[in-house]
Amino acid sequence: MEWEQFELNPRIIAAVKRAHFRSAKEILCVSGPDLQRLTRLSKTDVLRLHCAVAAAVRKTSPVTALQLIRGECPVLEPGHRLSFACPVLDGLMRGGLPLRGITELAGESAAGKTQFCLQLCLSVQYPEENGGLNSGAVYICTEDSFPIKRLLQLITQQSRLRPDLPPALIHSRRLTDSVYIEHAADLEALQACVSQRVPVLLKRGLVRLVVVDSVAALFRSEFQADEAVQRSRHLLAFSSTLHRLSHAYGAPVVCVNQVTDVMDGPNPGRCDYGLVGSKVLPALGIAWANQVMVRLMLTRLAGQVKSDSRSCASRKLEVVFAPHLPRASCLCGVWEEGVRGIPDDALHDE
Amino acid sequence: MHRTVPSLPLAPSVKVKLINAGFQVASDLIDMRPLQLCKEAGISQEEAVEVLQMLRDDAQPHQQRAATESVTALDLLHQEQSLGSIVTFCSGLDNVLGGGVPVGKTTEICGAPGVGKTQLCMQLAVDVQIPVCFGGLGGKALYVDTEGSFLVQRVADMAKAAVQHCTLLAEDTEQKQALEELTVEKILSNLFLVRCHDYVELLAEVYLLPDFLSEHPEVRLIVIDSIAFPFRHDFEDLSQRTRLLNGLAQQLIQLATQHSLAVVLTNQMTTRVSNGQSKLVPALGESWGHAATQRLILHWEGLRRLASLYKSPSQMEATIQYQITVQGFRDATDEPRHASPSENYSKRPRMEDLS
């Protein structure tokens, strides 16, 4: 650590070197009185030292919310979101997925979560003015193998899903080239993938969307019921890596989660997130929920929805919580060309 | 100059030697020369010089006054009342808190994800700016975001609703004049945001707060959302975590009292298993529970969102219902906008499942 770079009295720098401090972190983690004792500096000198080191650690000085909304700080507030490629779904999400933070998509099996993720992998590749991020996606599979046939089908049907895009734009892109597929069979592989391979892709600008399908599978299978503390620790390590990557590169992270059955009534030890009457809750407990910024739930309903002359099983996409969205849901269907929200029956709870 | 020798701030060995030599009161020493003192008390010349230097400094009047300055409780009461509080726009919660989030104290807001902690913090950051003639503080706010959940779109919604609320209330000319300056842009320009990505950046930010506050003396609210997030992962040494958190809490309460501002911290919930039963408790451990002056716990009960004042030196423990609307944090009635306080809160002694 080059202490000379700080604009401090040489006496202070000498004292810091004598006390064998090696990094700014070490200085900030020691309190004022302790630092006085270790370096034998006076109270004002220690205060100056703390301020100088803190100023060096601080990445950006405070900005006003007005600067953010005017788009003057694109690092903190990019001003656009990742579109779902459907105007109804984008309307539910007020533009789409936020670029920083973990978005969770929870639901039962066969609800359609993978379909959503595949659609996002294609939507991210279009330019920013069309709701994309002009970059690819990395898809980490932990459960089944990657549904490559379905992805190819979606690609051929893109012009049907996106009538707003000029066909030349769709055809000019080789949409398969920018979807990177990773398989992780156990937790170690998952952590290695997320801490080594994914950062390389992000740094090179090859991807700007990370999908983990699913996060629950490995964490639920590798830990017994009484190993909750270890599971929490691994979950926190995993989610903090994702969180750091998302914020550093402005890349949305989508994590697919499973659900658990709710068998007994309200339980004070379990948070229901206000989902009364739901027979299922997102898995992995409150330790994981604390790391998630936007939580979406996808439920398969009994009826059918129609589009043109086709019909399919109806699904409900619900915003459970998000800092910028109210509790709302909309119906959607999974078609040949992808997932589409149904505009007329947009429901608003609460 | 009637201080006795034992009460002087000297090393114990020196004091013993002075007392044994017969010096009982400080005035006995004041006229001595270092060499004389050295011979009579049997202390070294250096120590003698130190003793006389200390006595000379002690004799200066302003330092003596500082040592004995005291304030009456009535003065303190007036001071506290004049500090004011920040309204939350949820009259039930304002009543429970005794007017709003108090200035000069630290308030902790705990709750499960999605219950409304960030919403309440954003609401307070807008409400602190309400002009004095409307009953607000007319101050600025600093928002320290550690989770990345500060989305300015939502704050703009709340600011617009706050301006509309004030427009409805404006009666006299002073209020109407203040209203002309109160625009959404002005509110957004008085809200500062800092993002910290880990606990080291958070510690650095708190060390830089005194400088920031001297540059922006109108800041009346500091929000840290959340203080739990950076401290809950990669901490192998929990005792270091406790030490750092306690240090932070002390720095923040010192800033709150010195600069007359309110400090609001948000905390997460965690599961604690005891006797085979699990319940949700605030995170960061037992000792952190003593850190903040007041503790508010937000929780779900079925479809209802409830806020419980769990720890307060001056207010009674109570629970009220609230809701989050498009306008922001509000009372849980059908009418989102109303000027009269609502009566829908219940005072319950201690919630059983939180004890």
Side-chain angles (χ1 to χ4, degrees):
Chain A
M1 181 76 194
E2 284 297 329
W3 296 113
E4 277 77 15
Q5 60 176 302
F6 298 116
E7 288 169 9
L8 289 169
N9 196 318
R11 173 173 46 95
I12 302 180
I13 298 181
V16 164
K17 285 192 187 159
R18 261 201 312 270
H20 304 296
F21 280 108
R22 276 163 305 186
S23 66
K25 177 170 159 179
E26 284 182 27
I27 297 223
L28 290 174
C29 288
V30 178
S31 70
D34 280 341
L35 207 51
Q36 274 182 273
R37 190 175 39 89
L38 290 168
T39 56
R40 295 186 224 263
L41 290 169
S42 69
K43 193 166 169 187
T44 35
D45 279 344
V46 158
L47 208 61
R48 267 189 226 122
L49 174 61
H50 266 148
C51 286
V53 173
V57 165
R58 175 198 256 183
K59 294 223 172 78
T60 45
S61 24
V63 295
T64 65
L66 189 61
Q67 286 174 286
L68 289 178
I69 211 166
R70 283 188 182 156
E72 293 173 28
C73 313
V75 173
L76 291 176
E77 181 63 51
H80 62 276
R81 308 243 161 91
L82 173 58
S83 163
F84 268 106
C86 162
V88 176
L89 297 174
D90 284 345
L92 179 74
M93 300 286 297
R94 276 181 99 173
L97 289 189
L99 296 194
R100 285 176 168 82
I102 300 178
T103 301
E104 180 199 73
L105 182 56
E108 296 161 309
S109 62
K113 310 184 289 290
T114 305
Q115 305 300 314
F116 266 94
C117 296
L118 292 175
Q119 187 152 317
L120 285 168
C121 288
L122 296 178
S123 162
V124 70
Q125 300 187 38
Y126 295 112
E128 275 180 22
E129 55 264 20
N130 301 112
L133 297 175
N134 218 4
S135 189
V138 57
Y139 199 107
I140 306 174
C141 299
T142 62
E143 290 180 357
D144 313 314
S145 56
F146 184 77
I148 183 72
K149 282 207 199 117
R150 177 59 175 151
L151 182 69
L152 292 172
Q153 187 185 40
L154 287 175
I155 291 176
T156 51
Q157 300 279 321
Q158 270 290 285
S159 41
R160 196 167 173 191
L161 179 71
R162 309 285 310 251
D164 56 309
L165 296 178
L169 179 64
I170 301 178
H171 293 304
S172 66
R173 294 184 173 237
R174 292 198 46 121
L175 295 169
T176 42
D177 281 357
S178 303
V179 180
Y180 296 83
I181 302 165
E182 296 271 338
H183 281 98
D186 56 39
L187 268 186
E188 236 180 86
L190 180 64
Q191 188 68 24
C193 171
V194 158
S195 32
Q196 283 149 28
R197 290 203 288 285
V198 170
V200 171
L201 291 169
L202 285 167
K203 206 185 305 200
R204 291 206 201 140
L206 295 169
V207 304
R208 272 194 76 185
L209 169 68
V210 180
V211 179
V212 182
D213 185 3
S214 66
V215 72
L218 296 176
F219 284 99
R220 288 172 100 183
S221 62
E222 289 202 21
F223 292 100
Q224 310 279 6
D226 52 352
E227 291 176 323
V229 174
Q230 279 129 309
R231 190 178 86 168
S232 279
R233 213 171 357 169
H234 278 89
L235 256 179
L236 281 187
F238 174 66
S239 64
S240 72
T241 316
L242 286 177
H243 192 92
R244 222 183 349 249
L245 288 174
S246 174
H247 278 263
Y249 296 102
V253 174
V254 177
C255 289
V256 172
N257 196 6
Q258 295 166 352
V259 290
T260 55
D261 293 308
V262 174
M263 281 175 295
D264 45 3
N267 177 356
R270 185 193 63 221
C271 182
D272 289 340
Y273 313 104
L275 289 168
V276 182
S278 173
K279 296 192 210 68
V280 293
L281 281 179
L284 298 179
I286 204 166
W288 168 250
N290 277 324
Q291 311 300 317
V292 164
M293 189 171 86
V294 177
R295 171 167 268 181
L296 305 170
M297 255 185 89
L298 196 54
T299 331
R300 204 175 164 124
L301 300 176
Q304 298 257 311
V305 284
K306 293 197 189 320
S307 160
D308 306 331
S309 51
R310 312 165 292 171
S311 67
C312 80
S314 142
R315 288 150 168 96
K316 179 174 82 157
L317 178 68
E318 181 176 8
V319 176
V320 179
F321 61 75
H324 61 305
L325 302 173
R327 261 289 183 68
S329 61
C330 76
L331 289 183
C332 50
V334 179
W335 313 105
E336 206 185 340
E337 68 270 19
V339 184
R340 275 239 210 92
I342 311 295
D344 298 325
D345 310 344
L347 304 161
H348 284 271
D349 305 321
E350 272 212 338
Chain B
M1 285 311 295
H2 292 294
R3 283 185 81 173
T4 55
V5 167
S7 72
L8 293 174
L10 295 168
S13 54
V14 175
K15 273 195 256 189
V16 164
K17 288 187 187 153
L18 287 175
I19 293 173
N20 286 342
F23 295 104
Q24 299 291 338
V25 193
S27 49
D28 294 342
L29 293 163
I30 199 85
D31 296 323
M32 301 282 292
R33 317 243 41 219
L35 225 50
Q36 263 183 304
L37 190 56
C38 189
K39 280 205 199 116
E40 290 207 25
I43 53 178
S44 73
Q45 189 148 16
E46 220 177 67
E47 284 169 348
V49 169
E50 260 180 38
V51 167
L52 292 171
Q53 185 79 40
M54 189 270 314
L55 282 174
R56 223 166 291 138
D57 291 338
D58 211 38
Q60 281 170 34
H62 71 266
Q63 275 187 332
Q64 261 200 327
R65 211 186 309 135
T68 55
E69 192 179 301
S70 58
V71 184
T72 66
L74 187 63
D75 290 338
L76 279 179
L77 180 65
H78 287 174
Q79 261 176 29
E80 221 178 77
Q81 284 173 342
S82 66
L83 283 176
S85 43
I86 308 175
V87 293
T88 60
F89 273 176
C90 169
S91 53
L93 187 57
D94 289 339
N95 287 339
V96 163
L97 291 173
V101 170
V103 166
K105 300 195 167 54
T106 49
T107 304
E108 185 187 348
I109 305 176
C110 315
V115 76
K117 310 183 289 292
T118 305
Q119 303 298 306
L120 179 54
C121 289
M122 290 198 223
Q123 186 71 62
L124 289 170
V126 167
D127 290 349
V128 72
Q129 304 187 36
I130 293 176
V132 178
C133 52
F134 281 102
L137 293 179
K140 302 191 181 176
L142 172 68
Y143 200 105
V144 180
D145 182 17
T146 60
E147 293 184 343
S149 53
F150 182 91
L151 292 173
V152 72
Q153 206 177 17
R154 181 65 175 139
V155 181
D157 291 344
M158 290 187 176
K160 201 161 80 171
V163 170
Q164 280 175 339
H165 187 93
C166 287
T167 317
L168 289 178
L169 291 179
E171 288 165 348
D172 55 43
T173 44
E174 193 193 348
Q175 289 182 333
K176 292 208 164 79
Q177 203 171 12
L179 203 56
E180 276 172 44
E181 292 175 356
L182 190 69
T183 60
V184 172
E185 281 82 28
K186 176 110 183 302
I187 294 182
L188 293 179
S189 70
N190 287 338
L191 174 53
F192 296 94
L193 171 76
V194 178
R195 199 156 272 160
C196 297
H197 299 94
D198 56 37
Y199 74 93
V200 180
E201 283 185 41
L202 180 61
L203 289 170
E205 211 49 61
V206 176
Y207 278 119
L208 293 170
L209 279 178
D211 285 338
F212 177 80
L213 291 172
S214 50
E215 279 173 45
H216 303 273
E218 320 85 18
V219 169
R220 288 269 96 74
L221 170 70
I222 296 182
V223 176
I224 302 189
D225 180 21
S226 63
I227 198 155
F229 190 82
F231 281 101
R232 291 193 75 201
H233 49 76
D234 44 62
F235 250 105
E236 303 87 24
D237 186 4
L238 282 183
S239 62
Q240 189 199 28
R241 184 178 90 167
T242 312
R243 197 165 28 89
L244 290 175
L245 282 171
N246 284 338
L248 265 182
Q250 280 191 345
Q251 282 178 291
L252 290 170
I253 186 74
Q254 206 172 28
L255 286 170
T257 42
Q258 270 176 2
H259 298 261
S260 297
L261 41 86
V263 175
V264 173
L265 313 166
T266 58
N267 193 3
Q268 294 170 344
M269 299 295 264
T270 184
T271 337
R272 184 165 69 192
V273 183
S274 55
N275 308 333
Q277 277 221 320
S278 67
K279 53 184 204 268
L280 288 180
V281 296
L284 296 180
E286 276 298 321
S287 60
W288 175 252
H290 305 284
T293 319
Q294 276 189 335
R295 188 177 244 187
L296 202 59
I297 299 192
L298 306 181
H299 53 107
W300 293 100
E301 202 176 82
L303 273 177
R304 309 191 308 157
R305 297 185 202 234
L306 303 176
S308 299
L309 182 64
Y310 194 54
K311 171 191 170 191
S312 169
S314 52
Q315 299 301 120
M316 192 167 107
E317 292 176 7
T319 303
I320 53 105
Q321 191 183 349
Y322 67 92
Q323 65 170 346
I324 315 274
T325 65
V326 166
Q327 286 102 17
F329 198 86
R330 295 290 188 272
D331 283 297
T333 58
D334 292 326
E335 256 282 280
R337 251 173 291 151
H338 54 92
S340 59
S342 67
E343 304 291 344
N344 59 342
Y345 66 94
S346 59
K347 288 189 178 170
R348 293 210 311 253
R350 250 192 172 204
M351 286 194 68
E352 295 82 347
D353 48 328
L354 288 174
S355 55

